[in-house]
Amino acid sequence: MCPICKNQNKIIKRGFYRRPSDQKKVQRYHCKSCKISFSDQTYAIDYRQQKRWFNQSCFLTLCSGVSQRRTAYIFRVVPRTIARRVKKFGEICEKNLEKYRDNRAKANEVEFDELETFIHTKLKPVTIPIAVEKKTRKVLALSIGNIGAKGHLKQISIKKYGRRPSERLPALKSMAKDLQKCLASKANIGSDKCPLYPKLVRDYFPEASHHTCTGSRGAVVGLGELKKTVFDPIFTLNHTYAMFRDNLKTLSRRTWATAKRKDRLLLLLNIYAWFHNLWLDRKRAKPKLEVFNC
Ligand SMILES: [Zn+2]
């Protein structure tokens, strides 16, 4: 497909070139209507990369509770390379998730809630609404938004960083909007008893039935989401949250590796969400990062 006119018919093959980094032969093409040339690499995930050999292992490592700096150390590259990969992988995974939502069968049972973490310091908390399909544990939609600090941190936070406008509702709405694409109209939606949720569900999923159960906030130490002995009605969700926290270094509790930027944290979340969905299908194929074609 031509990158400019998106036409598939007026394309001819036009020789090869040998890629310097790994000596691979790459097919070139020419579009007769735009008079431009492109190659198999134009749409590849390693387009214009030099160190393409570690892409797959980097993807797995980043989703296995290893910090970006340590990933750089393991693969003998500079941290900047990993930061660039995070950006690239995050964009691919975001698109993959979007395509996945559009093309999968409609989900009937979904649970959603918010995961709380922070950017840089506990004075700048963020909320991460995530929707999970109950039966398969697959992540369907996620989003991120700033929220104000709570408790005794509230005054300190306002003094130091000023008032942070709460983006909780916009984040929830963006998650709900994405979820609309892959949810059956008469679906069952489960969540905890947050007062914001009933209206959100009514607005975005008017025909769905909404069940709430008493949720308890995660403990500070340990896997808060799973640290319970009683029956947990939103187990699927909490289990997924625990997996997010365990496998993304920036989300783990009491960590040094805090996220520094909200947009980069969202990229990491998208990478993990996509990895998580592939991981659940691991009997079919080993998790591998590629452009998702359904
Ligand atoms: Zn063209």
Side-chain angles (χ1 to χ4, degrees), residues 131-293:
V132 176
E133 190 184 20
K134 195 171 178 184
K135 223 174 180 176
T136 60
R137 287 201 274 128
K138 287 199 172 167
V139 178
L140 298 179
L142 60 84
S143 163
I144 190 168
N146 289 336
I147 48 172
K150 286 176 195 160
H152 71 285
L153 294 176
K154 195 174 168 183
Q155 288 311 320
I156 308 171
S157 168
I158 291 173
K159 205 173 153 194
K160 207 163 177 185
Y161 299 106
R163 272 193 189 277
R164 286 157 62 80
S166 173
E167 295 169 2
R168 197 166 171 209
L169 205 57
L172 278 166
K173 280 180 178 169
S174 129
M175 189 269 301
K177 212 174 162 191
D178 284 342
L179 189 59
Q180 269 182 334
K181 291 171 196 155
C182 62
L183 203 65
S185 57
K186 285 185 178 140
N188 284 318
I189 300 177
S191 73
D192 65 17
K193 280 192 174 133
C194 169
L196 282 176
Y197 297 164
K199 188 174 182 309
L200 185 83
V201 173
R202 254 182 283 129
D203 287 354
Y204 283 85
F205 315 101
E207 286 179 59
S209 52
H210 185 202
H211 310 282
T212 54
C213 55
T214 333
S216 48
R217 282 281 148 221
V220 180
V221 194
L223 292 171
E225 282 84 0
L226 277 189
K227 221 176 172 188
K228 275 172 221 134
T229 45
V230 289
F231 174 71
D232 182 2
I234 47 172
F235 169 80
T236 313
L237 192 77
N238 286 330
H239 188 274
T240 310
Y241 279 14
M243 281 193 78
F244 264 81
R245 285 214 188 270
D246 191 34
N247 292 314
L248 266 187
K249 185 69 181 172
T250 42
L251 291 186
S252 52
R253 293 174 187 277
R254 301 226 156 159
T255 179
W256 275 3
T258 56
K260 307 295 184 295
R261 278 171 61 172
K262 201 174 72 175
D263 54 336
R264 295 297 151 93
L265 179 59
L266 182 62
L267 292 171
L268 276 172
L269 288 165
N270 278 320
I271 295 174
Y272 183 71
W274 183 243
F275 170 85
H276 184 82
N277 290 358
L278 292 176
W279 173 252
L280 293 169
D281 278 337
R282 65 188 178 278
K283 278 185 185 143
R284 232 173 282 162
K286 204 182 155 199
K288 187 178 175 213
L289 181 68
E290 50 198 355
V291 177
F292 179 60
N293 286 315

Side-chain angles (χ1 to χ4, degrees), residues 25-40:
K25 243 178 151 185
V26 182
Q27 175 76 54
R28 275 203 173 115
Y29 303 95
H30 178 74
C31 174
K32 284 203 263 181
S33 59
C34 329
K35 308 259 185 293
I36 60 138
S37 286
F38 57 99
S39 73
D40 278 338

Side-chain angles (χ1 to χ4, degrees), residues 84-109:
R84 288 195 187 125
R85 290 296 190 277
V86 167
K87 191 161 180 272
K88 179 91 188 175
F89 293 175
E91 284 159 4
I92 294 168
C93 292
E94 194 187 346
K95 279 183 197 147
N96 285 355
L97 275 172
E98 221 174 273
K99 266 192 238 166
Y100 172 71
R101 276 194 291 269
D102 290 343
N103 291 290
R104 53 158 288 143
K106 302 272 181 212
N108 285 313
E109 276 190 291

